Amino acid sequence: MRLTRSLTALSAAILALVAAMVFAGPAQAAGPAYVALGDSYSSGNGAGNYDSASGDCHRSNSAYAALYASEHSPSSFTFAACSGAKTTDVINNQLGALNASTGLVTITVGGTDAGYADVLTTCVTSTDSACVAALNTAESYITTTLPAQLDAAYNAIRAKAPAARVVVLGYPDLYTLNVFCIGLSDTKHRKIDEAADVLDTTISGRAGAHGFVFADVRSTFNKQVERRQYIEI
């Protein structure tokens, strides 16, 4: 299965999950203005169908944020997510549209801070031991350094959008179904998913500490991709 199909499945699966998270809460005092923040998982990099004006941010019209806005017609929609964004990028470049009337904010961030893309490249191109070592380093960063970086981003969001419902999305287990890269060893698969779980646990904990909703996409994504695999065989 191609990466594009997998990320399109991710967007479709997350769309329903985000909607459930948003409407499960109490009525909002603020208006329904929606701002989508974060990295490539929010921008939709890899899903194709990009907004040509977004450049290297690769904002896709097939991303969950764009699909949600299309289906739920918020009073305004700002798609600020950008491929490769770190927590500092969110703080410095993506918060301009937030204000007291913002009703909904969604965000994925943290994976780029932990160097996840580079680690995955190591796992694809190097030995099991090199992959495990790189992931151990990433896990150490995630548990010791990333929490303060997430706190800084979450504090900045809340300061600019005090009444918004903030939904923080986690990251999927990339290799559970051998969807993204067939041929990696079982050792690499398990370690990659372990690191993803460490990342999600850290993000969930910090999101909860700020009173934000954490949307765990792992089981939703895996079920959706598994269904599409079955249909496409």
Side-chain angles (χ1 to χ4, degrees):
M1 180 181 290
R2 293 180 301 173
L3 177 60
T4 297
R5 291 180 179 175
S6 298
L7 288 179
T8 301
L10 176 61
S11 294
I14 291 176
L15 174 62
L17 183 61
V18 171
M21 291 292 180
V22 172
F23 294 115
Q28 300 173 28
Y34 173 30
V35 180
L37 310 172
D39 56 20
S40 59
Y41 282 86
S42 287
S43 73
N45 187 20
N49 193 22
Y50 301 120
D51 177 359
S52 59
S54 67
D56 290 340
C57 285
H58 293 159
R59 298 185 188 105
S60 171
N61 293 313
S62 299
Y64 73 82
L67 295 175
Y68 179 91
S70 177
E71 288 196 8
H72 296 280
S73 301
S75 61
S76 66
F77 172 51
T78 301
F79 198 0
C82 186
S83 179
K86 297 181 178 181
T87 50
T88 52
D89 296 314
V90 170
I91 294 169
N92 295 330
N93 304 322
Q94 296 187 15
L95 305 186
L98 297 180
N99 55 53
S101 67
T102 303
L104 172 64
V105 176
T106 59
I107 182 171
T108 55
V109 74
T112 307
D113 294 77
Y116 212 51
D118 291 337
V119 170
L120 292 179
T121 298
T122 297
C123 288
V124 170
T125 61
S126 300
T127 63
D128 284 7
S129 59
C131 173
V132 170
L135 285 163
N136 282 337
T137 299
E139 287 181 17
S140 177
Y141 185 96
I142 290 165
T143 56
T144 61
T145 303
L146 184 61
Q149 295 172 324
L150 294 172
D151 286 342
Y154 297 162
N155 284 332
I157 291 169
R158 181 52 76 206
K160 288 182 172 292
R165 183 170 179 81
V166 181
V167 179
V168 178
L169 294 101
Y171 293 86
D173 288 333
L174 295 181
Y175 290 100
T176 298
L177 299 174
N178 287 342
V179 170
F180 283 71
C181 185
I182 297 173
L184 291 184
S185 70
D186 186 64
T187 296
K188 291 179 178 179
H189 284 192
R190 291 180 183 276
K191 189 62 178 179
I192 289 169
D193 284 346
E194 174 192 292
D197 291 341
V198 171
L199 180 59
D200 281 337
T201 297
T202 299
I203 292 172
S204 175
R206 299 323 305 154
H210 289 263
F212 297 166
V213 177
F214 177 71
D216 190 339
V217 305
R218 286 170 289 186
S219 62
T220 304
F221 173 67
N222 288 339
K223 289 176 182 177
Q224 183 74 2
V225 173
E226 186 175 34
R227 175 177 173 273
R228 291 193 175 208
Q229 279 185 314
Y230 177 78
I231 291 172
E232 293 171 5
I233 291 174

